[in-house]
Amino acid sequence: MSCAYKNGNYCALGRLIMFGCPKNCPDYCETSSIDTSIELSKEEQYYVDLCRNIRQFVALGQIEINTKEHSISDNLHLVKFLEMCGKSFKEVILQYLTDIQPFQLKRDAAQEYDNSVYCVIDLSYSFALYLKITFTSDKGIVISFHENQIMNQKKYKKETSDLNYMIAKTSLPAGTFASIPVKISHGLVTFEFVTTCFIIDTDLVRVNLEHVNSIYLEYANQKISDLVGEQREVFSSVKEVSFTSYGEAILNNISVLVDAICFTHLKQQEKLELIDTLRLQMIGLVQLPDSQKYIEALDERYSMKLGKASFQPRILLELETEVE
């Protein structure tokens, strides 16, 4: 079987996101690394069915995005940030839900107060994403979507999903291995690539999650490399990169630099170099038309206040004051 990495893969923006097999072919592409059982457990079926249902309602247009603020958190702190990246909040959420995958999710049953309500956490970012899905008789589904509350951040900091299921349409027979094209939205970027998988059903496969995660990391590390002007391998886990760092706007550049400075274990000199790069991005930002709106978007994105707790990177506050 040929390696999915061999010729490089490109995201929807045309950006080269893989530069050859990272695991010394053919060992990394060995099909024995993928579970070949076809039967799903009750828990696995829950996630698969939930993703299938969400995708179906989105495709039918039977979905409402809840934009009401929660009583204990600000679930709208991403709205202005996304708008200043040239995206609407609804546009981003709909794209995310169109490509939602079982392997991203973990159930939060404690928040499910009714049989029609499903609460899940997306664990594939530094700040976990919280989704509350309410199935209604008249509106289809109502979605509440925001980055997870700071009080629970430590709980999900290192937690990952054990699932390796991906929804991907195929006409290939179940019980066989194949390399198929898949599409996944991650942050503000849609990744399209070929991956080796085991066919479970006409719309369900098992994949090597290390392959998928390596694509996200390659993108994030390449962003840092482009910003500093030399090749860097800053991120080693998807848990170090936030939802807002996947994108091509200046605010996405600032976000990925903040992630690198705050969430990785770099040496002090390396962090100082990234702080200098962040300073240049902030200088460029304040020179833009409507620069105050960009500053407000950053303040809202990083405030995330819960009582007296908030995540406002000190370095970002200092640089805002410095460049204004």
Side-chain angles (χ1 to χ4, degrees):
M1 181 175 295
S2 63
C3 174
Y5 286 99
K6 184 169 291 184
N7 297 315
N9 294 296
Y10 294 81
C11 71
L13 297 170
R15 189 188 188 99
L16 184 62
I17 53 179
M18 292 308 304
F19 301 94
C21 181
K23 297 290 182 178
N24 298 320
C25 255
D27 294 337
Y28 183 73
C29 301
E30 192 65 46
T31 55
S32 60
S33 65
I34 302 175
D35 187 352
T36 58
S37 60
I38 294 180
E39 295 297 322
L40 276 67
S41 68
K42 184 176 179 180
E43 180 183 13
E44 292 170 335
Q45 194 68 57
Y46 168 90
Y47 293 107
V48 171
D49 288 346
L50 180 61
C51 290
R52 282 170 170 165
N53 288 333
I54 290 173
R55 285 165 166 249
Q56 183 177 13
F57 277 104
V58 173
L60 293 172
Q62 298 176 356
I63 179 172
E64 178 180 305
I65 308 297
N66 180 12
T67 56
K68 295 180 180 178
E69 292 191 23
H70 294 183
S71 59
I72 61 171
S73 69
D74 179 7
N75 66 318
L76 302 179
H77 70 280
L78 293 179
V79 173
K80 184 172 289 186
F81 187 100
L82 296 177
E83 288 176 350
M84 298 309 291
C85 292
K87 305 280 187 179
S88 73
F89 184 68
K90 183 176 181 179
E91 175 188 2
V92 172
I93 305 312
L94 287 179
Q95 186 60 62
Y96 170 84
L97 296 173
T98 296
D99 298 329
I100 195 167
Q101 295 289 352
F103 68 78
Q104 298 172 271
L105 306 179
K106 181 178 179 62
R107 187 178 183 183
D108 187 5
Q111 300 292 326
E112 297 176 356
Y113 54 83
D114 188 271
N115 289 337
S116 64
V117 176
Y118 295 77
C119 297
V120 289
I121 305 293
D122 185 335
L123 298 171
S124 52
Y125 301 96
S126 59
F127 285 105
L129 300 181
Y130 176 85
L131 289 89
K132 182 177 75 173
I133 306 101
T134 305
F135 289 84
T136 69
S137 59
D138 57 338
K139 297 178 182 178
I141 57 174
V142 178
I143 300 286
S144 176
F145 174 101
H146 59 87
E147 283 183 314
N148 195 49
Q149 301 157 359
I150 294 304
M151 65 173 63
N152 289 328
Q153 182 58 24
K154 289 183 179 180
K155 177 180 178 181
Y156 299 113
K157 186 174 182 181
K158 295 183 179 180
E159 196 168 351
T160 58
S161 172
D162 295 327
L163 297 178
N164 61 355
Y165 292 101
M166 177 184 291
I167 293 178
K169 291 189 178 298
T170 177
S171 59
L172 298 171
T176 61
F177 285 96
S179 292
I180 66 170
V182 296
K183 184 182 77 167
I184 304 178
S185 293
H186 201 70
L188 278 64
V189 177
T190 298
F191 294 90
E192 297 184 15
F193 55 95
V194 173
T195 189
T196 300
C197 63
F198 183 73
I199 311 298
I200 303 293
D201 204 342
T202 56
D203 69 339
L204 188 66
V205 301
R206 287 184 186 269
V207 296
N208 187 328
L209 289 185
E210 188 177 353
H211 176 192
V212 178
N213 288 335
S214 71
I215 290 176
Y216 299 153
L217 287 174
E218 185 71 23
Y219 177 89
N221 280 318
Q222 189 58 47
K223 277 187 69 67
I224 292 292
S225 299
D226 292 344
L227 290 169
V228 300
E230 61 182 34
Q231 201 65 34
R232 295 289 181 90
E233 296 293 328
V234 172
F235 300 108
S236 58
S237 167
V238 294
K239 303 292 287 186
E240 297 170 341
V241 191
S242 59
F243 182 85
T244 52
S245 293
Y246 295 92
E248 297 299 310
I250 189 170
L251 291 181
N252 303 125
N253 295 345
I254 291 172
S255 176
V256 76
L257 286 165
V258 169
D259 288 343
I261 294 167
C262 295
F263 300 138
T264 62
H265 301 287
L266 297 176
K267 295 179 180 178
Q268 184 63 20
Q269 182 58 39
E270 293 175 308
K271 288 198 174 187
L272 290 175
E273 292 174 1
L274 291 179
I275 290 172
D276 287 340
T277 303
L278 178 58
R279 180 179 288 107
L280 293 175
Q281 290 293 311
M282 292 296 295
I283 291 173
L285 182 142
V286 298
Q287 294 175 348
L288 294 173
D290 299 325
S291 61
Q292 188 56 40
K293 291 184 179 180
Y294 283 94
I295 296 295
E296 291 171 359
L298 283 174
D299 289 342
E300 286 188 15
R301 184 262 177 274
Y302 287 111
S303 61
M304 297 173 62
K305 294 179 180 177
L306 273 177
K308 294 182 180 180
S310 66
F311 175 71
Q312 184 81 344
R314 182 171 58 86
I315 183 61
L316 197 56
L317 286 170
E318 293 175 355
L319 289 179
E320 283 184 14
T321 303
E322 177 183 324
V323 301
E324 285 181 345

